[in-house]
Amino acid sequence: MSFSKKRIAIFASGSGSNAETITRYFEKNDNVIVSLFLTNNAEAGVIKRGKRLGVPTVVFSKKNFSERDDVVKILENLHIDFVVLAGFLWLIPESLIKAYPNKIINIHPALLPKYGGKGMWGHFVHEAVVENKEKESGITIHFVNEHYDEGEVIFQASCEVTSSDTPEDVARKVQVLEHEHFPRIVEEILQKL
């Protein structure tokens, strides 16, 4: 199936390992380009990854993001078709959701609806999974709406959690799933746009 070149923007608040995995996945794809990384954290590792990968990175403030339409304007000026949240911690403002209806997806490091919502990210999720003696965890890729982790689920993959697993063990297992599935799911969605 052929489709015109799609331009992706990736939001990340931390190291940006998923942003890099997605960028590398599409490097040889003539139909998709990762045009921009965006972060709310001036110390985020995703900035260094962007430099290394040749992807421009924009750092923005809460005011630029939530109170004004600055970020939406940046995306529109670059003709971004699709937005990926890859470890991005802020709630997406209504203006961005309206500008990109059903064109923003997020990856969550648990099997939603378990361990979702405000404050449930990264190690907080993995600690809760271990503390509650869950037998499995995994990833959920979902569309983004105006509530944390409540958008329509697109894809889930699970991994076993053993009684000896630490939160760090669970994090490693979940990250393997993220890197394995996230780029492929992004591509599948882009083919339907």
Side-chain angles (χ1 to χ4, degrees), residues 159-171:
C159 58
E160 183 184 12
V161 177
T162 67
S163 57
S164 63
D165 278 345
T166 65
E168 293 74 25
D169 295 328
V170 176

Side-chain angles (χ1 to χ4, degrees), residues 19 26 28 89 130 161:
F26 288 115
K28 292 182 172 63
L89 304 181
V130 170
V161 177

